[in-house]
Amino acid sequence: MARDQAVESPPRYRIAPGAFLTWRGEDPVVAHVDRPFEQFEISADLAGLFTRLSRWHSIGEIVQALDLEGSQRADVAAALSLFHDAGILLRSDAFAEDHPPLREAAFEAQRTVHSCADLNRTDPAFVELYTRLSDATLTSPQLAYALRSALVHLAETDTRGDVVECGVWRGGSMALAAITLQELGDCGRDLWLFDTFGWFWENAGLQDGFVLAEPAEEAPLVAAGDTRRESSKSAGTSQDEVRALITDTGYPPSKVRLVPGMVQETIPENAPERIALLRLDTDLYESTMHELRHLYPRLVPGGVLIIDDYGKLSGATRAVDEYFSAMKRAPLLHRVDTQGRVGVKPT
């Protein structure tokens, strides 16, 4: 639609490409693959609405089609506006470029333990552990298994050093690490958790976005503390809640170290000197590059590097590629799934 073209009135709505309807328990949920952190529980009436929005419809047509009372018109209008803002619906008076480019849903399709048939058969204990911690992690089962396997490798090879994670969310990955280390009888390592602890993000730059999306012409509108990135995903991310999750596993509380703040401000001053496992999951270019510059040199030879979101998010991917491009003895970064790499630091 040209910018000088007359705006259609009243607005009409249609489901956006990449939007989907699913169920969480018994509750219908709508979301968009470009915004996996924004999921909306809806009523049965609104679930029925989505079966009617494969074509353009006005609010009046929707109210009539759903046989709603007049008093419910405002609720429907508010819901449609909310879903439009979340990218779930297109609106006829909005320019096409207002809708974010569609990512492949395949990125999210693998984020279920049920897609790992080999793990279901060969390591049911891991599947049970991952399922138990699934509400506390956004890490795919493949990358979670890589973390668990890396800890087993470090214990078996007697590779000394601490475990460091940058980008913690609710602490599910480090809870998995704490449980694994206890099973191995290897509780002497300090667990370092670097995060803002509250679902607040750094400013995004031109390098940041989705790998499969078109390059940005201006920085994405995502800033530290931006409420547009806050949602139910912010629940359970406080220092006290994350610490409780880790220590409730039985891991020695004195060995659990939470460092709040932007990593650009807390690293390297608060980081350990010897790191055996370094897990990076802050998504964006600036923080990932900062972590690599200051923490990779402290990763001991034979130590394991895990990078979440490599291959999915352009910021983390570009930072890793740039950092290792000038290094003569860079690690082989092995592809774990569509959004993760793991490597061992050369000796």
Side-chain angles (χ1 to χ4, degrees), residues 14 48 78 94 101 104 113 126 143 168 189 193 209 248 272-273 287 329 336:
R14 182 167 63 85
E104 287 189 356
V113 73
F126 165 76
L143 272 175
V168 173
R189 305 178 193 270
L193 289 73
D248 284 350
E273 292 298 326
S287 57
R329 293 182 59 81
V336 178

Side-chain angles (χ1 to χ4, degrees), residues 325-336:
S325 64
M327 189 173 294
K328 293 182 178 179
R329 293 182 59 81
L332 168 65
L333 295 179
H334 178 70
R335 181 183 184 276
V336 178

Side-chain angles (χ1 to χ4, degrees), residues 111-127:
R111 298 179 64 86
T112 167
V113 73
H114 302 296
S115 68
C116 307
D118 58 323
L119 297 182
N120 289 324
R121 289 194 302 269
T122 62
D123 199 342
F126 165 76
V127 173

Side-chain angles (χ1 to χ4, degrees), residues 37 135-138 167-172 193-201 229-245 258-261:
F37 302 140
D135 287 341
T137 183
L138 295 172
V168 173
W169 194 47
R170 292 175 180 165
L193 289 73
F194 291 88
D195 200 288
T196 56
F197 297 104
W199 202 242
F200 297 110
W201 294 60
R229 289 296 291 268
E230 295 179 23
S231 66
S232 62
K233 297 298 181 185
S234 64
T237 61
S238 71
Q239 287 189 69
D240 290 343
E241 290 168 315
V242 172
R243 184 183 297 278
L245 179 70
L258 278 66
V259 184

Side-chain angles (χ1 to χ4, degrees), residues 260-280:
M262 296 291 177
V263 295
Q264 295 92 323
E265 300 170 358
T266 59
I267 293 173
E269 287 78 6
N270 300 285
E273 292 298 326
R274 289 179 58 83
I275 302 172
L277 188 145
L278 177 60
R279 184 178 185 277
L280 306 184

Side-chain angles (χ1 to χ4, degrees), residues 141-155:
Q142 293 89 340
L143 272 175
Y145 191 72
L147 171 61
R148 185 172 172 89
S149 300
L151 293 168
V152 172
H153 170 76
L154 295 173

